[in-house]
Amino acid sequence: MLSRVSVLLLDRVAMFEFGTTCEVFGLDRSATGVPAFDFRVCGIEAGVPLRTNISGTTLTPDHGLDGLAGADLVVLSATTIRDNYPPDAVDAIRSAAESGAIVLSVCSGAFLAGAAGLLDGRRCTTHWMHTEELARAFPATTVDPDVLFVDEGALVTSAGTAAGIDACLHVVRRELGSDVANTIARRMVTSPQRDGGQRQFIERPTPDCAAGGVADLLDWLGDHLAAPHTVESLASRAAMSPRTFARRFAAETGTTPGRWLTAQRVLLAQDLLERSDLPVEDVAHRCGFGSAALLRHHFQRQRGLAPAEYRRRFGDAAEAVGTV
């Protein structure tokens, strides 16, 4: 479970990226059913002001590095990239990870995770401006320059700025379920779930037609996820050639039709697993997967849990029906 969240700040704090963490974990939303997090803002030393990336502004953390001890989640906020990081901070991060804390880096915080040895042998990401530098600095990791965030279980790395919101909400959803993540997102007036594999860049060229097209199709697809779809059938519905449709879809959504459909179907399955006692086979058919085996494949890949295990952890029903 996710209860204690510690965010580590170093000198030259990036204010927006720090603010995203505060919005998700630092506000008391217990009145809306969100569990209150024990949120700790930590620096090298408690009470010592830190410079930010906004001229004339400082932040003073209440906790020192001891605030990382016992955390369920340690967030490495964005800061100025440097060749060497404070050894005490690196040791504290490594110790927290070894004690079982999830480590989440926002933007350039990935370099601090790398300094602690947490990137070795794992996939990761950071802001697209820094991906090549990250790959050079830590050759034992695989840097994906084109995604919003990467979930490696005990390590979650995110791209720049708003991708930190996506990564934080993803961790909330993974650890506490959809209801909590959706409630926080609704209060933040942001999307409750963007696929981590979505591109950091989304080109938005002027549409070829004034109305209709991909936007209308997405609305329609949301109500018809159970039906079979192909690029050809969707292109026909959008009154485009398959090639034009695929190009327009990628430009406007940042992903392919197949990946978008799979992500939406997994989201629907997640909701059904949490809120209903439908057998898993029925959940698979309602979501358009066709079989429990196919649902299990995609659900495990995107959520890190089998559907039955996810239901056991997060389902509302007293007794889960169906196994995978």
Side-chain angles (χ1 to χ4, degrees):
M1 297 298 291
L2 194 60
S3 177
R4 180 178 296 176
V5 178
S6 298
V7 55
L8 176 60
L9 305 180
L10 298 182
D11 195 43
R12 298 293 185 185
V13 178
M15 287 287 283
F16 183 89
E17 285 76 0
F18 171 58
T20 62
T21 305
C22 295
E23 276 286 336
V24 175
F25 299 108
L27 300 182
D28 185 353
R29 295 192 170 100
S30 55
T32 63
V34 175
F37 299 104
D38 177 1
F39 185 69
R40 301 183 177 190
V41 179
C42 307
I44 301 297
E45 296 181 61
V48 176
L50 300 172
R51 292 173 294 176
T52 75
N53 62 346
I54 298 177
S55 179
T57 304
T58 61
L59 283 174
T60 303
D62 285 344
H63 299 272
L65 293 174
D66 58 339
L68 274 61
D72 302 306
L73 173 67
V74 171
V75 181
L76 307 180
S77 197
T79 186
T80 301
I81 298 170
R82 56 204 80 181
D83 292 332
N84 296 295
Y85 290 88
D88 288 350
V90 171
D91 289 343
I93 295 165
R94 188 182 298 116
S95 177
E98 290 173 351
S99 297
I102 301 165
V103 176
L104 164 63
S105 70
V106 180
C107 192
S108 59
F111 286 82
L112 186 50
L118 303 184
L119 301 185
D120 293 353
R122 288 167 159 162
R123 284 180 63 241
C124 67
T125 194
T126 188
H127 193 291
W128 60 267
M129 291 177 61
H130 307 310
T131 51
E132 292 184 4
E133 184 179 358
L134 185 67
R136 288 194 300 269
F138 304 104
T141 189
T142 300
V143 181
D144 191 334
D146 202 35
V147 296
L148 295 178
F149 61 84
V150 175
D151 183 346
E152 286 280 293
L155 175 71
V156 179
T157 54
S158 68
T161 314
I165 298 174
D166 298 309
C168 288
L169 289 174
H170 170 75
V171 171
V172 171
R173 183 180 296 274
R174 191 186 81 180
E175 300 298 318
L176 299 176
S178 296
D179 281 350
V180 175
N182 291 345
T183 299
I184 296 173
R186 189 160 51 248
R187 291 293 297 270
M188 293 177 64
V189 195
T190 189
S191 171
Q193 179 76 35
R194 286 201 297 173
D195 179 16
Q198 184 171 315
R199 296 187 320 197
Q200 292 189 33
F201 278 110
I202 300 179
E203 300 173 1
R204 294 190 181 275
T206 302
D208 294 332
C209 52
V214 172
D216 290 345
L217 180 66
L218 294 183
D219 288 340
W220 178 84
L221 276 173
D223 295 325
H224 296 84
L225 292 175
H229 302 290
T230 65
V231 170
E232 289 74 18
S233 67
L234 295 176
S236 176
R237 187 171 188 86
M240 301 178 194
S241 70
R243 179 176 295 182
T244 298
F245 170 73
R247 184 173 62 250
R248 283 279 303 280
F249 195 99
E252 294 186 25
T253 68
T255 189
T256 66
R259 288 183 68 172
W260 187 92
L261 272 170
T262 297
Q264 297 305 307
R265 284 167 169 163
V266 167
L267 277 173
L268 177 57
Q270 184 173 290
D271 186 65
L272 291 173
L273 289 167
E274 290 181 9
R275 297 174 181 272
S276 78
D277 59 358
L278 286 170
V280 172
E281 191 74 35
D282 288 356
V283 171
H285 285 285
R286 288 199 183 195
C287 297
F289 284 116
S291 69
L294 194 56
L295 168 61
R296 179 180 58 200
H297 169 78
H298 290 293
F299 200 94
Q300 179 89 39
R301 188 172 183 180
Q302 293 201 18
R303 296 294 179 266
L305 292 171
E309 177 61 22
Y310 184 89
R311 169 173 274 167
R312 277 192 289 271
R313 293 193 187 186
F314 304 117
D316 290 336
E319 292 185 14
V321 179
T323 59
V324 178

